Amino acid sequence: MSSVAATADSAGHDHDHGHHAHVDDHLALLKAVPFWSTDHKVIGIQFLLTTLVMMMVGGALALGVRWQLAFPWENMPIIGAFFPASAGGQVTPEFYTMLFTMHATVMIFLVIIPVLAGAFGNFLIPLMIGADDMAFPLLNALSFWVMLPAIFFFGMSFVWNDGWGPNAGPGAGWTSYPALSAIKAAAPGSGWAQFWWLMGVTCVGFSSMMGSINYMTTIINMRAPGMTLLRMPLTIWGMFITAVLQAFALPVLTAAGFMLVADRTLGTCFFIPSGLVVNNAAPTVGGGQTLLWQHLFWFYSHPAVYIMVLPAMGMVSDMLACMSRKPIFGYKPMVYSLAAIAGLGFIVWGHHMFISGMNPALGMTFMISTIMIALPSAVKVFNWIGTIWGGKPEFNVIFLNCVAFVSMFIVGGLSGIFMAAVPVDIYIHDTYFIVAHFHYVLFGSTLFAVFGAIHFWYPKMFGRFMSEGWGKLHFFLTFIGFNGTFFPMHLLGVAGMPRRYADPYLYPYLEHLLPLNQFMTVSAAVMGFAQFILIGNFIFSLFSSRKAGRNPWNANGLEWHAPSPPGHGNFDIPAVVYRGPYEYSSPEHDSDYWPQAEVPKPVVEHESETTPKIAPA
């Protein structure tokens, strides 16, 4: 029986047919990364490498936040003096607001969204549906290169506000609520730094919209012969539904961003109310509504939560089925639950605004619709467990990361039920209970899925395996550090510790929480430095690891029908689909995997021995 371990044939004998889709140099895709390319695989790797670098930047900002909460007003060792907004290495209140603003900005807009839809979406969609490339290669290339101005603008917001100096960096949070973000005199970071921030978010929006159009068109129009919608892998379903979410939600945020820029530069009053006094300046003249920004922002940003998790759900489904050697449990319910989560995601944005003075009837509506999201989410959780149950799982780093994804998603989902209830949310709103919840959903779920996906598709990208031993060390350190950092935040939230306070210990009722915050900061440091293991493993495996063949995991998807790494055009053997992607351990096949593109054997009807033979006349 086959296993997911690489066989001798898959490791060394590809049986390639000498065609444009075969690549002899396993670094060919990597060598094209610094240059303009319309090849979807190169663009995917460009996104992947960029997001890995940004992940380290976002993690460094997070450690700055944790340092202040654990050791308030003490100088940061080594790196503190390099921050222009710190006072000799000490975190100032203004610098603290910049740290948590830019940490969330970098991790959401420059890491999680682009690594899922940008990196894996670009690399996998044409390969998994049997296409040569994306529908619009030029638009696809632009979707990456527009991200570079976004990084530049966010970088400018770090260092330029009203000139170079200690007041640089936006401080309105990643949500940028007016009036902090709309009035230049509202806070030290509300000047040019906030403008650069808005420009960066706009560029990210354009990048996402270009990708969304491309993904929908490619998946609808360019599937291989035999690839019906219900033969598509769940990764593709996750990417497709994510693209639909982006297409409908992004225009709202883009319009809101332009309105906010107009308020700041043209004198409009979309979000600025009349009679508002800021820093003893003259009262504002206007008639805008600050709550309007919250409605527009969260109408995009709550679906954005699912933009950041639906592709991960699809990828984990494919990896779990392969590593468990079992068909995915309940394929159609998994597809329908993805669509249900996305649909409900458009009618729940108001739960972010329960304490804004909402009509109780409207609050009840948002509460019930939010709780209803637990139903399709539970379908997915039980189906993942059903996929593992009774299988023959290979306890490698891919499987471990997938199980971590499911486990952390359960914890994040259960804490979300608390926040969906209006009476509970009124108490825990803007406490560390909220911080714990969204880190379990967005980091604990999404990034564990990404870590598993990097190991799973790395052989297809570069024709080599990543180190299993270093991968497990990275996993265990990250898993332990993550839970040591974020699970205690539930306790902080229940104790009433508010988020975004540079020194919460000014309040006597929070003083006893300092030791717990110090423990969390040590855990965060362990988790942060563990990511250097991932980066090192990624780099050194390019040169010193075992070679991988066409199908090293004995998987069924069409991407494993192509060479490793695929050349231009992807497939050296035409891709034709004969079955679904989850035919593992089928009694109708000799091995425990049955690739989608494997040609069925002809059925031979054997003549019965008891059938009388009729002599010719």
Side-chain angles (χ1 to χ4, degrees), residues 177-183 186 260 263 267-278 281-294:
Y177 283 178
L180 280 178
S181 60
I183 300 175
L260 186 54
D263 277 8
T268 58
C269 301
F270 292 108
F271 307 118
I272 301 175
S274 60
L276 185 64
V277 178
V278 177
T284 57
V285 177
Q289 293 285 338
T290 55
L291 283 182
L292 176 60
W293 169 265
Q294 294 190 34

Side-chain angles (χ1 to χ4, degrees), residues 424-497:
V424 180
D425 185 74
I426 290 173
Y427 173 74
I428 63 176
H429 186 87
D430 265 345
T431 69
Y432 266 82
F433 197 95
I434 308 297
V435 181
H437 163 72
F438 67 67
H439 278 89
Y440 265 91
V441 173
L442 296 185
F443 187 111
S445 296
T446 298
L447 284 188
F448 277 116
V450 168
F451 296 151
I454 289 174
H455 281 266
F456 188 64
W457 280 290
Y458 190 93
K460 186 56 58 179
M461 293 178 180
F462 305 112
R464 291 180 181 267
F465 292 96
M466 291 182 71
S467 168
E468 183 72 13
W470 287 110
K472 286 184 176 179
L473 178 62
H474 165 258
F475 165 76
F476 285 115
L477 288 177
T478 302
F479 187 81
I480 294 169
F482 171 82
N483 285 284
T485 302
F486 295 109
F487 192 82
M489 287 185 183
H490 295 98
L491 306 180
L492 298 182
V494 172
M497 179 174 169

Side-chain angles (χ1 to χ4, degrees), residues 277-430:
V277 178
V278 177
N279 283 338
N280 296 320
T284 57
V285 177
Q289 293 285 338
T290 55
L291 283 182
L292 176 60
W293 169 265
Q294 294 190 34
H295 282 289
L296 297 177
F297 179 86
W298 288 115
F299 185 83
Y300 163 78
S301 293
H302 196 81
V305 173
Y306 304 114
I307 291 170
M308 291 183 270
V309 76
L310 290 181
M313 289 177 170
M315 294 190 297
V316 165
S317 300
D318 285 348
M319 291 186 284
L320 271 182
C322 179
M323 296 302 146
S324 299
R325 315 312 294 168
K326 268 188 65 180
I328 194 73
F329 187 90
Y331 171 80
K332 288 185 178 180
M334 292 290 266
V335 173
Y336 300 147
S337 61
L338 280 171
I341 290 172
L344 289 170
F346 274 109
I347 60 171
V348 299
W349 79 90
H351 66 223
H352 296 272
M353 304 167 60
F354 279 153
I355 65 167
S356 64
M358 185 178 296
N359 184 303
L362 187 58
M364 177 71 74
T365 303
F366 281 125
M367 181 176 73
I368 293 174
S369 58
T370 302
I371 293 174
M372 285 180 61
I373 290 187
L375 300 179
S377 300
V379 168
K380 307 200 74 62
V381 168
F382 287 120
N383 283 14
W384 286 322
I385 296 173
T387 300
I388 301 171
W389 184 265
K392 299 176 181 178
E394 181 88 6
F395 287 89
N396 56 21
V397 66
I398 300 168
F399 182 80
L400 292 174
N401 276 291
C402 290
V403 172
F405 166 90
V406 176
S407 305
M408 299 302 96
F409 184 74
I410 292 172
V411 176
L414 291 176
S415 63
I417 297 295
F418 288 87
M419 291 178 292
V422 176
V424 180
D425 185 74
I426 290 173
Y427 173 74
I428 63 176
H429 186 87
D430 265 345

